[in-house]
Amino acid sequence: MMTEDCPVPLGMSQVGAGLCEDFGLSQGDDIIEEVGPCDDAGSDLSTLVVPFPELAPVVFFCLKQTTCPRSWCIRMVLNICFLTWFERISIMVILLNCVTLGMYQPCENIDCTSERCQILQAFDAFIYIFFALEMVVKMVALGIFGHCCYLGDTWNRLDFFIVMAGIVEYSLDLQNINFSAIRTVRVLRPLKAINRVPSMRILVNLLLDTLPMLGNVLLLCFFVFFIFGIIGVQLWAGLLRNRCYPEENFTLTSGITLPTPYYQPEEDDERPFICSLAQDNGIMSCSDVPARREGGRECCLDKEDALASTVGLCVNWNQYYTRCHTGHTNPHKGAINFDNIGYAWIVIFQVITLEGWVEIMYYVMDAHSFYNFIYFIFLIIVSFYTLLCMCSEMKHVS
């Protein structure tokens, strides 16, 4: 049954069988060829004709399946030959986007007045227009909301988010507003390649499907972090702030001050000297503070000789840092400590990555006890065992 102006075949229930997967049909090209121009789209008969039952009958409140703008979009979306070449072009555009993102240097030319920066901006605009046109064509052909519509696919939602973020970015550029958080969304554009390569998409979907099945392993990881974090807080809360201070009754001659309020091996205090309190059994004590050196020479004078003009000699101020006391700063700008469970988890994560874990262990051993190495070694062994459990679980699921 067909109309005279817009001949459309009916009874094509088999057409949309694979529509939600790749928007390609084996018979779609032949079907669209029979649609023809739709000059009388408002006739009563055309409103009843639905050539593709799997697609939305009307999109944007006015575009029917037999309306020419939408029929052109459906022709492009369902044409297998066109889709093949379009996917190849999309891959090339995504690769071009990766190259332009890698060549972008925001620190060299902030105002983007150089020729190189302007060329990269032109390529970025072209890539964005390409992705935006692709989204509009698919929305017109498939519809926006619904099971088999454009936003019914998860990867299409990612494409939609990237395009919308681009609109916000270009709108802010027109208003001369610098919003770097929106600008960073462009790095998600290479993820569009997942939607273009079927094998990669299957692999990513399989990985995402296995994540809920790893709940038991993730729960085990949480308990490992929680238990070891509680142990660290109970044993070493505040100990990594121990520093060697002068005695409370220490005084100096008027006009003379100590170089630093407590002993610091380095000016930036990145690797502090952590001492052990009297009630603890740490390795380091304030008696282990080395003599002060200036100009490659070891200082040997006392504070009484500070005002004396002695050539080539200096005061050993380090000998007066004899009292171990809890201060206010932790190592590495306050990032390494066990003062609360949050910071303890950060330290545990760094330890199980084996990045700088020995230095952290030495800090704890200096402040508390030599035998604290057992905690760190046992933590690494348990973490590797948990990792093996996760790998075996993923292998079992796959």
Side-chain angles (χ1 to χ4, degrees), residues 200-247:
M200 186 184 301
R201 183 175 180 178
I202 293 174
L203 183 61
V204 173
N205 287 333
L206 178 62
L207 179 62
L208 296 177
D209 291 339
T210 56
L211 289 180
M213 304 178 186
L214 299 177
N216 294 331
V217 180
L218 296 178
L219 186 61
L220 176 61
C221 292
F222 172 77
F223 276 114
V224 169
F225 273 53
F226 192 77
I227 293 173
F228 278 91
I230 291 177
I231 294 175
V233 171
Q234 294 296 322
L235 292 178
W236 308 314
L239 291 185
L240 298 188
R241 293 183 289 167
N242 292 350
R243 302 292 186 272
C244 290
Y245 289 83
E247 295 293 338

Side-chain angles (χ1 to χ4, degrees), residues 41-158:
S43 63
D44 295 335
L45 184 59
S46 61
T47 58
L48 299 176
V49 172
V50 181
F52 304 106
E54 297 294 334
L55 296 179
V58 180
V59 298
F60 298 107
F61 302 102
C62 60
L63 296 180
K64 306 180 182 66
Q65 294 184 6
T66 54
T67 306
C68 283
R70 191 184 180 195
S71 67
W72 297 339
C73 295
I74 294 176
R75 182 191 299 271
M76 289 186 290
V77 170
L78 302 184
N79 191 307
I80 301 300
C81 182
F82 177 82
L83 280 177
T84 302
W85 284 101
F86 182 79
E87 296 298 334
R88 295 174 182 174
I89 296 174
S90 298
I91 293 295
M92 296 299 296
V93 173
I94 293 172
L95 293 178
L96 176 63
N97 185 44
C98 295
V99 174
T100 56
L101 289 175
M103 296 176 63
Y104 182 63
Q105 298 178 353
C107 297
E108 288 192 2
N109 196 343
I110 300 177
D111 297 330
C112 197
T113 56
S114 65
E115 182 180 359
R116 177 176 179 273
C117 183
Q118 291 177 357
I119 293 175
L120 291 178
Q121 267 196 342
F123 275 112
D124 185 77
F126 163 75
I127 293 169
Y128 173 75
I129 293 173
F130 180 85
F131 291 151
L133 288 177
E134 175 197 8
M135 183 190 72
V136 171
V137 169
K138 287 186 176 181
M139 281 186 172
V140 172
L142 306 174
I144 301 178
F145 301 102
H147 178 64
C148 290
C149 295
Y150 181 77
L151 294 181
D153 183 80
T154 304
W155 296 106
N156 286 341
R157 297 193 197 108
L158 176 62

Side-chain angles (χ1 to χ4, degrees), residues 102-339:
M103 296 176 63
Y104 182 63
Q105 298 178 353
C107 297
E108 288 192 2
N109 196 343
I110 300 177
D111 297 330
C112 197
T113 56
S114 65
E115 182 180 359
R116 177 176 179 273
C117 183
Q118 291 177 357
I119 293 175
L120 291 178
Q121 267 196 342
F123 275 112
D124 185 77
F126 163 75
I127 293 169
Y128 173 75
I129 293 173
F130 180 85
F131 291 151
L133 288 177
E134 175 197 8
M135 183 190 72
V136 171
V137 169
K138 287 186 176 181
M139 281 186 172
V140 172
L142 306 174
I144 301 178
F145 301 102
H147 178 64
C148 290
C149 295
Y150 181 77
L151 294 181
D153 183 80
T154 304
W155 296 106
N156 286 341
R157 297 193 197 108
L158 176 62
D159 296 348
F160 176 79
F161 173 75
I162 293 173
V163 173
M164 291 296 104
I167 293 177
V168 175
E169 176 186 345
Y170 284 109
S171 300
L172 294 178
D173 288 340
L174 294 177
Q175 300 294 330
N176 294 324
I177 300 176
N178 186 11
F179 202 167
S180 57
I182 296 296
R183 191 179 298 274
T184 54
V185 178
R186 65 176 64 180
V187 302
L188 297 177
R189 292 179 184 174
L191 293 179
K192 294 172 70 70
I194 300 177
N195 200 20
R196 303 298 186 275
V197 182
S199 58
M200 186 184 301
R201 183 175 180 178
I202 293 174
L203 183 61
V204 173
N205 287 333
L206 178 62
L207 179 62
L208 296 177
D209 291 339
T210 56
L211 289 180
M213 304 178 186
L214 299 177
N216 294 331
V217 180
L218 296 178
L219 186 61
L220 176 61
C221 292
F222 172 77
F223 276 114
V224 169
F225 273 53
F226 192 77
I227 293 173
F228 278 91
I230 291 177
I231 294 175
V233 171
Q234 294 296 322
L235 292 178
W236 308 314
L239 291 185
L240 298 188
R241 293 183 289 167
N242 292 350
R243 302 292 186 272
C244 290
Y245 289 83
E247 295 293 338
E248 294 182 358
N249 57 356
F250 179 78
T251 58
L252 287 172
T253 307
S254 178
I256 301 177
T257 57
L258 288 172
T260 56
Y262 56 88
Y263 171 64
Q264 298 181 10
E266 301 175 359
E267 293 183 0
D268 54 2
D269 202 22
E270 278 295 320
R271 295 183 178 179
F273 183 92
I274 300 177
C275 59
S276 175
L277 297 175
Q279 64 269 23
D280 295 323
N281 297 316
I283 297 177
M284 304 300 293
S285 64
C286 292
S287 60
D288 298 318
V289 173
R292 183 180 176 84
R293 301 181 67 89
E294 290 183 4
R297 297 181 180 180
E298 184 175 311
C299 300
C300 57
L301 298 180
D302 296 330
K303 64 179 181 178
E304 290 78 9
D305 304 323
L307 296 179
S309 59
T310 53
V311 180
L313 298 178
C314 56
V315 177
N316 180 20
W317 297 110
N318 292 351
Q319 64 180 317
Y320 301 108
Y321 297 112
T322 58
R323 181 174 62 98
C324 186
H325 180 68
T326 302
H328 302 284
T329 58
N330 284 297
H332 298 280
K333 308 297 182 181
I336 304 300
N337 64 82
F338 291 89
D339 294 349

